[in-house]
């Protein structure tokens, strides 16, 4: 049974969401403050965190920074803050998904299931495989429809970063830091150029990308391993 840590200060909402999770065979752990949530994270080692941003005292932004300082555990932000700038900030800070309140239980459960699948399928095996694109993060082997693809070291660093967080929109700044370093965080031309290089090598039709999707106003996303059949 997967453990879901819910950090939410609204007691009634937390109780309702916990009940919904438990009805769908998850073990719900509930914290009503940032410090309480971080303590449960260390003690219980949950599989995923649902994090509200507007927490008293230590807000959700601080909690997310504390989580990412020590762990890559999947985090879904659940917040009434729905502006594009808030969503970009959340993804830049390391969230795997962002769900704006109010939302329905089915929507929440679908997001939880999708993030868990993405995390487990790639992270656990060190392999990304959507049925057409195969990326081995350990051996650095890349294949498209069974055909080996040769990538430069920089191209592979970019693709492997996208693969490690497959299905999650990654901001321009995050990708630049991960691939080129902090000193190049403003150099979006590097990123756009190498995305173009990658698409020329791995996309069946580079002009209509199937694997590397542009997230308008945010950055780029590699489709989740089980998502390809739903991509238009």
């Amino acid at each position: 049974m997967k453990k879901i840590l819910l950090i939410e200060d609204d007691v009634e909402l937390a109780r309702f969401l916990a009940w919904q999770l438990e009805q769908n065979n998850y073990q719900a752990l509930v914290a009503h403050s940032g410090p309480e949530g971080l303590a449960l994270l260390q003690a219980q080692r949950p599989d995923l965190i649902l994090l509200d941003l507007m927490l008293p005292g230590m807000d959700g932004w601080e909690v997310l920074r504390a989580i990412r300082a020590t762990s890559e555990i999947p985090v879904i932000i659940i917040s009434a803050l729905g502006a594009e700038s808030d969503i970009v900030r959340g993804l830049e800070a390391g969230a795997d998904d962002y769900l704006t309140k109010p939302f329905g239980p089915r929507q929440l459960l679908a997001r939880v299931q999708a993030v868990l699948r993405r995390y487990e399928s790639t992270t656990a095996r060190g392999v990304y495989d959507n049925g057409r694109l195969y990326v081995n993060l350990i051996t650095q082997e890349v294949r498209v429809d069974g055909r080996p693809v040769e990538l430069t070291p920089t191209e592979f660093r970019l693709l492997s970063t996208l693969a490690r967080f497959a299905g999650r929109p990654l901001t321009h700044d995050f990708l630049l830091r991960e691939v080129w370093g902090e000193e190049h965080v403003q150099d979006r031309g590097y990123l756009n150029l190498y995305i173009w290089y990658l698409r020329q090598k791995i996309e069946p039709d580079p002009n209509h990308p199937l694997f590397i999707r542009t997230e308008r106003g945010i950055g780029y996303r590699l489709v989740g391993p089980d998502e390809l059949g739903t991509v238009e």
Side-chain angles (χ1 to χ4, degrees):
M1 183 179 292
K2 298 292 184 184
K3 295 181 184 178
I4 310 294
L5 171 57
L6 173 62
I7 308 177
E8 167 63 66
D9 66 317
D10 184 322
V11 175
E12 289 302 317
L13 177 59
R15 183 179 296 120
F16 174 71
L17 294 178
W19 180 80
Q20 289 288 339
L21 291 168
E22 289 167 352
Q23 291 300 301
N24 286 271
N25 299 314
Y26 295 108
Q27 179 182 350
L29 309 170
V30 178
H32 298 301
S33 70
E36 183 184 359
L38 292 175
L40 277 175
L41 169 61
Q42 295 301 316
Q44 296 291 331
R45 300 294 180 183
D47 298 286
L48 181 144
I49 297 174
L50 299 173
L51 174 64
D52 183 26
L53 292 177
M54 300 172 69
L55 297 170
M58 185 182 192
D59 66 22
W61 301 113
E62 294 177 88
V63 175
L64 183 55
R65 284 195 295 272
I67 292 169
R68 282 293 171 257
T70 59
S71 173
E72 284 296 335
I73 182 174
V75 176
I76 300 177
I77 290 175
I78 52 172
S79 177
L81 301 175
E84 182 179 286
S85 59
D86 294 313
I87 296 172
V88 171
R89 183 183 175 189
L91 296 171
E92 173 66 19
D96 293 81
D97 204 347
Y98 196 112
L99 192 54
T100 303
K101 298 176 181 177
F103 50 79
R106 292 179 63 184
Q107 185 180 14
L108 174 65
L109 291 167
R111 297 289 186 94
V112 166
Q113 292 164 3
V115 169
L116 283 172
R117 284 197 304 267
R118 295 196 308 252
Y119 184 80
E120 292 167 356
S121 61
T122 300
T123 304
R125 299 186 297 128
V127 168
Y128 169 90
D129 187 357
N130 67 25
R132 298 192 64 183
L133 173 64
Y134 172 91
V135 183
N136 190 309
L137 304 178
I138 299 171
T139 66
Q140 301 190 16
E141 179 185 6
V142 178
R143 298 196 304 267
V144 176
D145 294 331
R147 171 181 57 85
V149 177
E150 295 294 329
L151 299 180
T152 68
T154 301
E155 289 167 350
F156 184 79
R157 283 200 304 273
L158 177 55
L159 181 59
S160 65
T161 301
L162 290 163
R164 283 192 295 115
F165 301 99
R168 167 179 154 187
L170 301 179
T171 65
H172 300 97
D173 289 357
F174 177 83
L175 287 166
L176 284 162
R177 285 193 185 94
E178 288 290 304
V179 179
W180 285 276
E182 187 71 35
E183 65 274 18
H184 292 291
V185 75
Q186 300 300 322
D187 297 331
R188 290 195 180 181
Y190 281 173
L191 177 59
N192 295 335
L193 180 62
Y194 273 86
I195 288 290
W196 185 84
Y197 287 157
L198 272 181
R199 283 173 168 167
Q200 297 303 306
K201 291 186 175 183
I202 71 171
E203 294 285 359
D205 181 356
N207 294 320
H208 300 88
L210 184 63
F211 306 137
I212 302 175
R213 311 293 287 183
T214 298
E215 295 290 324
R216 191 177 302 275
I218 298 174
Y220 297 98
R221 174 177 68 90
L222 186 67
V223 296
D226 59 349
E227 185 184 355
L228 192 56
T230 66
V231 176
E232 297 179 355

